[in-house]
Amino acid sequence: MEGLTKRAFIFGGLLIIAGSAFTFMPKVQHLNRTEKWMESIAPAKVGTYDYIRSPENIGCSYKMNEFTYEELHPYGIVPRIYQSGDKSFDVVLIASRSKESFHDPRVCFRAQQWTIEDEKQDSLESPDRGTIPLTIVRMSNGGEAGRMAAFFYRGPSRFYATTDQLRRGLFIEQLKMKQDIDGVFYRFIPLYQGATVEDLKQFIIEYLHAAKQSSGAYF
């Protein structure tokens, strides 16, 4: 009983410390970050790949389902299809400063009628971004099965493979009273037959290089 009481006091003390940190945290400076701003800094070209411009909005290739906007309330969502010859990749960027905007990625996949059948964590080595942890999934869509995709996140100081890892990272950054605590969700789907995991990773490496240059490493 004495040990239980001691642990309760310790836990209560930690809650008080965390509460005090949030109470005295400096007021967050809200930057004017919008979907148009995201479109302006997302890479227009990735190696030999150019993105297909929508007639309705040249900043993206298509419009994400409204359900996703309603669920996530992000700065914006930028979906682009990058094409080079007979190869193409569907890329989605979602950015926000709120950890509540980063739900289970099945929300994004469901909005495009995809169901995740299998997933595993992996990583790749980016020459100018370091080790990137990511999640590789296999999906189905009606009669189509076996479609591959990858997703990962960027927090204020590192990349993460899963939603829970990102949200914990953002919480820690808040405790450190950091001002810039934006997060970014990245999703990649190869749209051509025969694409391998290595093909997907190579495109992601090229994308991150281009995104670092176009966005000042925001993406």
Side-chain angles (χ1 to χ4, degrees):
M1 178 64 73
E2 182 181 346
L4 181 61
T5 303
K6 184 177 180 181
R7 286 195 295 272
F9 275 117
I10 292 173
F11 180 69
L14 290 174
L15 288 178
I16 292 171
I17 292 171
S20 298
F22 283 114
T23 300
F24 296 104
M25 189 179 296
K27 188 175 181 180
V28 174
Q29 196 173 18
H30 291 284
L31 301 176
N32 186 28
R33 290 174 174 165
T34 64
E35 188 166 277
K36 287 299 180 186
W37 172 79
M38 290 173 60
E39 291 171 355
S40 72
I41 65 170
K45 191 175 182 66
V46 176
T48 61
Y49 291 81
D50 292 291
Y51 80 89
I52 299 170
R53 289 157 172 79
S54 165
E56 291 77 23
N57 177 13
I58 63 171
C60 59
S61 299
Y62 59 91
K63 184 72 173 176
M64 185 61 75
N65 191 297
E66 285 300 323
F67 168 78
T68 309
Y69 285 92
E70 293 168 3
E71 283 286 305
L72 304 182
H73 302 289
Y75 293 146
I77 303 174
V78 180
R80 289 182 176 176
I81 295 174
Y82 292 84
Q83 187 169 34
S84 177
D86 59 354
K87 296 182 179 180
S88 58
F89 291 85
D90 185 338
V91 181
V92 170
L93 294 172
I94 301 175
S96 175
R97 71 169 297 106
S98 170
K99 64 181 183 295
E100 302 307 320
S101 294
F102 300 102
H103 293 185
D104 187 314
R106 286 169 179 80
V107 171
C108 182
F109 287 115
R110 278 201 308 269
Q112 296 181 293
Q113 287 76 54
W114 290 104
T115 300
I116 296 177
E117 304 290 352
D118 182 54
E119 64 181 80
K120 66 174 184 177
Q121 292 189 28
D122 203 334
S123 65
L124 58 83
E125 294 298 324
S126 166
D128 51 358
R129 309 297 288 271
T131 301
I132 310 295
L134 70 162
T135 300
I136 303 287
V137 301
R138 297 283 176 177
M139 311 177 299
S140 63
N141 182 355
E144 184 178 358
R147 177 76 73 177
M148 176 175 56
F151 66 84
F152 55 92
Y153 303 83
R154 182 194 63 74
S157 57
R158 54 171 292 190
F159 289 88
Y160 302 91
T162 70
T163 314
D164 287 344
Q165 291 170 0
L166 171 73
R167 296 180 76 170
R168 284 195 297 269
L170 292 179
F171 178 73
I172 290 171
E173 295 298 324
Q174 287 177 322
L175 288 178
K176 293 178 180 177
M177 301 184 183
K178 295 288 184 69
Q179 290 289 302
D180 189 357
I181 55 170
D182 282 8
V184 179
F185 171 74
Y186 305 74
R187 192 271 281 145
F188 299 82
I189 300 178
L191 299 179
Y192 63 97
Q193 294 294 323
T196 65
V197 171
E198 289 309 311
D199 293 332
L200 179 56
K201 287 184 176 181
Q202 183 57 42
F203 178 80
I204 294 172
I205 289 171
E206 294 178 16
Y207 182 90
L208 290 175
H209 174 72
K212 181 178 181 180
Q213 294 180 322
S214 66
S215 70
Y218 182 85
F219 290 135

